[in-house]
Amino acid sequence: MRTDSRRWWALGFLALAQFMVIMDTSIIGVALPKMQSDLGFSPDGLSWVFNAYVVAFGGLLLLGGRLSDLLGARRMFAAGWVITLGGSVVAALAGSAGVELTGRVLQGAGAALIAPSALTLLMVLFGARPKELTKALALYGAAAPAGGTAGVFLGGVITEWLSWPWIFWLYVPISLIAIAATPALMPATPARRGVVDVAGAVAVTAGLALTVFAIVRAPEQGWGSAATLGALAGGIALLGIFLAIQRARRVPLVRLG
């Protein structure tokens, strides 16, 4: 395959990755009532089918970017698809609410590796060609809103004509293709020496999760209740610890300056 042709095939695949990552935030919407009856979710707990993915994705995104820099973007891109594959299988086979949420957390963790490594790979492929880079970024950027819109439609179609587990089975063949195609399509990126701020990643993820948990439960518990205020205080404290960790780190996940 010619090098130029391979670069554009690789871009299409990176755009597809962005499409799938964002689609996973919206594709479960129509299926939630059926999942609630099948898996025994409480009305409050049902929102965590969405929140578990988003919190894991957002909370681990900084760590995913750091791992991509240290271990190589191509390697982390493939690893993200492996984790997404495992999470999708767990979510599809889930027979209880706890197992379903575990699958969603794994999917979010996989997305947190895929998204930053995909952007790094795009820059490696097109960074030396400014005109092509503009086109590549436009296509890559358009994939995100397209994924969010398509997720609502596909989720409804799959739930209506098949069943909600097929929402997650959809990711299995795509993940397998991505894992197989990555070595052939994606450029190799060198690993670098450095440290991984695991403590910072844990603190920010836990802080986000606890804050979201408090907000989701506030309508039932009451905004002024001890449970809500305690959870909010805990979440804010963890985010404060995250900032303190970043200030102390020589190579932080987020440069506070």
Side-chain angles (χ1 to χ4, degrees), residues 75-182:
R75 184 177 299 169
M76 289 299 99
F77 186 74
W81 283 111
V82 171
I83 296 172
T84 297
L85 172 63
S88 299
V89 172
V90 170
L93 295 176
S96 67
V99 175
E100 181 63 39
L101 294 183
T102 299
R104 291 293 284 165
V105 168
L106 287 172
Q107 284 188 309
L113 292 179
I114 292 170
S117 58
L119 189 55
T120 298
L121 290 168
L122 186 150
M123 295 303 298
V124 171
L125 287 164
F126 295 96
R129 301 168 176 83
K131 291 183 179 180
E132 291 186 357
L133 178 61
T134 300
K135 296 177 182 178
L137 287 173
L139 177 61
Y140 184 79
T149 302
V152 177
F153 172 75
L154 283 177
V157 171
I158 291 171
T159 304
E160 177 69 23
W161 294 101
L162 296 170
S163 59
W164 65 262
W166 284 98
I167 287 173
F168 304 111
W169 288 125
L170 172 67
Y171 282 79
V172 171
I174 294 173
S175 298
L176 290 172
I177 294 170
I179 294 166
T182 294

Side-chain angles (χ1 to χ4, degrees), residues 17-18 30 44 46 54 56 60-61 100 117 145 150-151 159 172 176 178 200 221 250:
Q18 177 77 336
V30 177
D44 290 342
L46 188 62
V54 174
L60 295 173
L61 194 58
E100 181 63 39
S117 58
T159 304
V172 171
L176 290 172
Q221 299 286 339
R250 186 169 60 87

